[in-house]
């Protein structure tokens, strides 16, 4: 078990990526503290993990509320004594940010993903780091997508938001890695099982006149595997990156685009 007895906190754990990462971490032996803005989906993931023999507690925590994140982490410290892994899987619906050409986009809609993704990652990362510094050990993780490095139409401020997260990963690592804390991101291309990809499709469906199947094929055509990644494949890499076996990786975002994006 790669994460045996590691204490991991996941934000956005009721979502597709957060839930998949929680299941993979649990399978590898981690003790989980799952959080999300809405309690019910997080509780459902926690119940599934506990009934499969794992350890998971659920809590409602808004990742944009610094005090709420801090208080929750304090309760984790009181219960488990440490935080080994912090995983940010927070995501906002594409319906709020995608599908409008930049020339028509209002400034609030442009800044929504930039402010949401950068602020939540900043709060989550620095509050985890303050606890990890005590032990001079820990891993801080986040998820981005290839919009960070590619110009993709009708994605508004999403690309700048993803680029900001990847830049923050590097800066956090520059400050924290000398003190034993690794900071790594994962950059999957697009995962068809998720509502997020459905929303990205629906935002473009009218303009592109493609079906859902054609949309997936059009994405897969640009990678080497000619297929899109599964949630399990992404979560398996996340578990490895969180483990001590990845001790040589920090200050970087793992390219999971299956060749869609060159390094
Ligand atoms: N899906 C993909 O194909 C894909 C590919 C590459 C990268 N990503 C990135 O991965 C991340 C997660 O994507 P996903 O597909 O798992 O999205 P998702 O299924 O929509 O999950 C996102 C989760 O974040 C929660 N959340 C939103 N705002 C929050 C806040 N302020 N505090 C706490 N939790 C909050 C949501 O809860 P509520 O529902 O209660 O708002 C939801 O459970 C995003 O950053 C996305 O850009 C996704």
């Amino acid at each position: 078990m790669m994460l045996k007895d590691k204490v991991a906190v996941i934000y956005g754990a009721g979502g597709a990526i957060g839930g998949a990462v929680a299941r993979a971490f649990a399978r590898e032996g981690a003790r989980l503290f799952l959080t999300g803005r809405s309690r019910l989906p997080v509780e459902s993931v926690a119940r599934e993990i506990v009934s499969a023999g794992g350890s998971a507690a659920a809590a409602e925590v808004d990742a944009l509320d610094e005090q709420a994140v801090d208080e929750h982490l304090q309760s984790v410290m009181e219960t488990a004594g440490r935080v080994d892994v912090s995983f940010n899987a927070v995501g906002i619906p594409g319906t709020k940010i995608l599908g409008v050409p930049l020339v028509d986009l209002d400034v609030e809609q442009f800044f929504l993903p930039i402010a949401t993704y950068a602020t939540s990652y900043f709060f989550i990362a620095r509050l985890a780091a303050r606890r990890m510094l005590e032990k001079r050990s820990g891993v801080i993780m986040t998820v981005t997508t290839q919009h960070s490095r590619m110009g993709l139409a009708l994605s508004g401020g999403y690309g700048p938001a993803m680029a900001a997260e990847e830049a923050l990963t590097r800066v956090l690592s520059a400050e924290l890695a000398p003190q034993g804390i690794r900071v790594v991101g994962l950059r999957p291309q697009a995962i068809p099982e998720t509502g997020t990809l459905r929303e990205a499709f629906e935002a473009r469906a009218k303009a592109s006149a493609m079906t859902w199947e054609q949309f997936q094929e059009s994405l897969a055509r640009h990678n080497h595997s000619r297929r899109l990644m599964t949630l399990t494949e992404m979560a398996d890499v996340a578990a490895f990156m969180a483990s001590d076996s990845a001790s040589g990786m920090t200050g970087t975002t793992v390219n999971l685009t299956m060749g869609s994006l060159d390094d």
Side-chain angles (χ1 to χ4, degrees):
M1 282 189 176
M2 283 192 291
L3 300 175
K4 188 154 172 46
D5 300 329
K6 297 271 189 199
V7 176
V9 184
I10 301 178
Y11 299 88
I17 289 188
V21 167
R23 290 178 195 98
F25 280 13
R27 187 197 65 218
E28 294 300 333
R31 181 175 179 187
L32 296 174
F33 292 85
L34 307 180
T35 74
R37 187 165 48 182
S38 328
R39 180 180 286 274
L40 282 180
V42 180
E43 278 179 347
S44 156
V45 176
R47 258 197 313 274
E48 185 192 322
I49 287 169
V50 170
S51 59
S55 167
E60 190 176 307
V61 178
D62 181 348
L64 290 169
D65 179 342
E66 188 171 22
Q67 195 182 333
V69 176
D70 199 30
E71 284 171 5
H72 174 261
L73 274 177
Q74 203 45 46
S75 74
V76 173
M77 292 297 286
E78 281 156 20
T79 310
R82 62 183 201 280
V83 177
D84 298 307
V85 182
S86 168
F87 193 101
N88 170 30
V90 167
I92 51 175
T95 44
K96 292 191 178 168
I97 57 176
L98 305 175
V100 181
L102 288 170
V103 291
D104 299 323
L105 193 66
D106 64 51
V107 71
E108 289 79 19
Q109 196 177 358
F110 174 69
F111 271 113
L112 179 66
I114 299 171
T116 304
Y117 284 108
T119 308
S120 54
Y121 182 31
F122 172 64
F123 285 161
I124 289 166
R126 74 170 180 169
L127 291 169
R130 284 178 192 163
R131 272 72 184 196
M132 291 171 176
L133 282 168
E134 292 166 21
K135 309 254 180 219
R136 294 183 68 83
S137 149
V139 189
I140 294 171
M141 303 179 72
T142 195
V143 195
T144 57
T145 180
Q146 61 186 7
H147 295 66
S148 61
R149 300 261 308 274
M150 289 174 84
L152 295 165
L154 301 180
S155 51
Y158 188 54
M162 296 294 102
E165 276 203 53
E166 292 188 7
L168 187 52
T169 292
R170 292 188 289 271
V171 179
L172 285 162
S173 175
E175 294 190 11
L176 298 171
Q179 302 178 75
I181 300 164
R182 294 192 295 116
V183 188
V184 287
L186 304 172
R187 187 196 303 130
Q189 182 192 9
I191 304 173
E193 297 144 273
T194 66
T196 303
L197 192 63
R198 267 278 176 191
E199 282 169 4
F201 160 68
E202 276 152 21
R204 292 172 179 81
K206 217 160 135 194
S208 69
M210 279 191 267
T211 64
W212 168 236
E213 287 69 29
Q214 288 166 335
F215 177 65
Q216 291 176 69
E217 281 162 24
S218 74
L219 295 173
R221 203 178 299 137
H222 297 292
N223 72 38
H224 297 176
S225 306
R226 303 288 189 267
R227 67 171 180 85
L228 297 178
M229 178 166 280
T230 65
L231 275 172
T232 303
E233 286 176 313
M234 181 277 314
D236 286 349
V237 178
F240 173 75
M241 293 306 301
S243 78
D244 294 339
S245 299
S247 59
M249 297 281 284
T250 190
T252 192
T253 297
V254 181
N255 185 349
L256 292 178
T257 65
M258 304 207 295
S260 169
L261 186 69
D262 286 340
D263 290 323

